């Protein structure tokens, strides 16, 4: 942008330079929030994969920040864990030192969850009070913060499902917990990208925006299916690809009655549906890329479509390796992180069709 253009913009939108600086500050803050959310989801995944999520059997939003500090406190925490079915039926005979390993995973997850509330709320208040938050963004950001608070309740609701009868948390509640985390993550990416200067160009087709929205939805839905797989430990069986139980479409997918319950509670069916979801997402991103390349080969939107397809390809490879090697922790976490990267980029691609938020002058933002 030339100096003349900058002067013209500042005349049309008084305080435009200041608003750009404010936007940069808010962008940096939201970028950090996105990073912490990414880490939070990965630690949550590790908690699930190591069966650590039930190691803390009480919900102490404030006092729970402080872990056990001496042998007596560790013993007290361990005795609480010994009362639940997971210890009695799965981990009977576990020592205190072995218990500490699973405890620290769950404590780290809860600590990060508490931290994200402060990382989000404190800067939001500061930016709001100092007039750096544009009017159009205030309530969306407050709504995102409120959803984060609700997520804390959902997290405990999830954990409580495994404290009385089950030896792990309910897959339904696990999927709900993960999807809400992804919605918070997506909202932050959406707003952050809306505050970022973007190259604009004509969309490849008049339906490209709708297609991009569909891809973002498919990415989120695939994460939901993956959460059901994780909740049922469905990835630990049928560890071959592309065949599953000796066939492309295995038998006995709908043994349970009613038939639809298999989609949520039959590990074989849940894994098969997750595989099919991956194929659909891969095919959809491929078609979207081909159409974009044929209609607008040099546009920025087409470039993003290509990158999105490549990310989905990489994620598919990681998913296959995770399955074939029977869900080792490193590959499983890479697969979960890859899912967030695909989702985040799908949201970025969709936001590219909308463009950045128009500048508000400071008088309008103050009203």
């Amino acid at each position: 942008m030339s100096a003349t253009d900058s002067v013209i913009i500042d005349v049309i939108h008084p305080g435009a330079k200041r608003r750009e600086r404010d936007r940069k500050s808010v962008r940096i803050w939201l970028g950090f929030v996105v990073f912490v959310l990414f880490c939070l989801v990965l630690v949550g995944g590790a908690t699930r994969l190591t069966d650590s999520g039930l190691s803390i059997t009480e919900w102490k939003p404030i006092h729970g920040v402080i872990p056990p500090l001496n042998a007596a406190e560790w013993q007290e925490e361990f005795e609480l864990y010994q009362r639940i079915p997971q210890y009695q039926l799965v981990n009977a005979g576990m020592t205190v030192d072995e218990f500490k390993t699973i405890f620290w995973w769950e404590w780290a997850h809860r600590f990060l969850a508490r931290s994200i509330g402060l990382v989000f709320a404190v800067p939001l208040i500061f930016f709001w009070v100092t007039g750096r938050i544009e009017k159009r963004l205030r309530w969306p950001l407050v709504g995102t913060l409120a959803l984060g608070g609700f997520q804390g309740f959902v997290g405990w609701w999830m954990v409580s499902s495994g404290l009385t009868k089950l030896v792990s948390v309910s897959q339904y509640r696990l999927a709900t917990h993960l999807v809400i985390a992804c919605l918070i993550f997506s909202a932050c990416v959406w707003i952050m990208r809306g505050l970022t200067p973007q190259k604009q160009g004509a969309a490849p087709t008049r339906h490209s925006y709708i297609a991009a929205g569909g891809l973002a939805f498919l990415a989120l839905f695939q994460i939901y299916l993956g959460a059901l797989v994780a909740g049922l430990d469905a990835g630990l069986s049928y560890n071959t690809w592309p065949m599953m139980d000796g066939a492309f479409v295995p038998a006995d997918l709908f043994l349970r009655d009613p038939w639809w319950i298999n989609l949520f509670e039959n590990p074989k069916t849940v894994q098969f549906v997750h595989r099919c979801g991956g194929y659909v997402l891969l095919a959809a991103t491929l078609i979207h890329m081909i159409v974009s390349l044929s209609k607008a080969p040099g546009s920025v939107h087409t470039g993003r479509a290509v990158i999105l397809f490549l990310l989905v390809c990489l994620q598919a490879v990681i998913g296959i390796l995770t399955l074939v090697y029977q869900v080792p922790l490193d590959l499983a976490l890479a697969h979960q992180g890859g899912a967030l990267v695909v989702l985040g980029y799908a949201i970025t691609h969709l936001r590219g069709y909308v463009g950045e938020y128009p500048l508000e002058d400071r008088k309008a933002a103050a009203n």
Side-chain angles (χ1 to χ4, degrees), residues 55-353:
S55 58
I56 302 178
T57 60
E58 296 181 334
W59 191 30
K60 300 177 180 177
I62 306 300
H63 178 65
V65 175
I66 304 173
L69 299 177
N70 53 54
E73 291 180 0
W74 275 113
Q75 185 62 37
E76 179 183 355
E77 198 73 44
F78 185 43
E79 288 174 359
L80 291 174
Y81 177 65
Q82 289 176 310
R83 298 176 185 176
I84 70 172
Q86 186 183 78
Y87 172 81
Q88 296 164 1
L89 299 176
V90 179
N91 290 328
M94 171 183 278
T95 65
V96 174
D97 286 338
E98 290 170 334
F99 169 72
K100 289 179 181 180
T101 300
I102 63 173
F103 176 92
W104 283 120
W105 275 118
E106 176 63 5
W107 182 85
H109 183 55
R110 296 193 188 193
F111 180 78
L112 273 175
R114 293 180 176 100
S115 299
I116 193 67
L118 293 176
V119 168
F120 197 101
V122 174
L124 174 61
I125 294 170
F126 170 77
F127 287 137
W128 191 317
V129 170
T130 57
R132 289 174 168 83
I133 299 291
E134 298 172 32
K135 184 178 180 181
R136 64 164 69 86
L137 300 181
R138 292 174 183 173
W139 293 116
L141 288 170
V142 170
T144 303
L145 178 61
L147 187 59
F150 178 66
Q151 173 74 327
F153 166 78
V154 171
W156 175 247
W157 175 66
M158 176 188 69
V159 169
S160 66
S161 68
L163 297 180
T164 54
K165 296 180 180 180
L166 302 176
V167 297
S168 61
V169 300
S170 161
Q171 73 273 24
Y172 297 104
R173 300 187 186 188
L174 174 66
T176 301
H177 189 53
L178 181 57
V179 167
I180 293 176
C182 289
L183 290 175
I184 296 169
F185 177 84
S186 298
C188 292
V189 171
W190 178 266
I191 295 172
M192 180 181 70
R193 289 296 299 166
L195 294 173
T196 305
Q198 301 178 31
K199 294 180 181 179
Q200 285 297 330
T205 74
R206 60 192 181 94
H207 300 298
S208 294
Y209 173 71
I210 297 174
L215 294 177
F217 172 79
L218 284 176
L220 179 62
F221 187 64
Q222 182 67 351
I223 289 174
Y224 167 77
L225 295 176
L228 293 179
V229 170
L232 292 170
D233 288 325
L236 297 176
S237 56
Y238 309 107
N239 300 104
T240 59
W241 185 88
M243 309 291 276
M244 180 178 177
D245 198 19
F248 286 106
V249 181
D252 302 328
L253 291 175
F254 296 99
L255 282 177
R256 300 188 183 183
D257 189 43
W259 67 268
W260 54 265
I261 204 70
N262 291 275
L263 299 171
F264 304 97
E265 297 185 7
N266 184 338
K268 187 176 189 178
T269 309
V270 168
Q271 190 197 124
F272 178 72
V273 172
H274 184 54
R275 290 188 185 207
C276 291
Y279 299 148
V280 170
L281 180 59
L282 182 64
T285 53
L286 174 61
I287 293 170
H288 181 63
M289 179 187 70
I290 292 173
V291 171
S292 298
L293 285 170
S294 64
K295 299 295 184 181
S299 76
V300 65
H301 303 297
T302 298
R304 294 193 186 109
V306 172
I307 293 173
L308 181 59
F309 172 70
L310 294 176
L311 287 173
V312 171
C313 287
L314 178 60
Q315 172 69 347
V317 171
I318 296 173
I320 293 167
L321 292 175
T322 302
L323 178 72
V324 170
Y325 286 100
Q326 299 185 338
V327 198
L329 183 60
D330 53 352
L331 282 175
L333 290 181
H335 189 50
Q336 182 155 332
L340 275 183
V341 171
V342 169
L343 176 63
Y345 200 82
I347 296 297
T348 296
H349 180 48
L350 176 62
R351 181 77 221 196
Y353 288 104

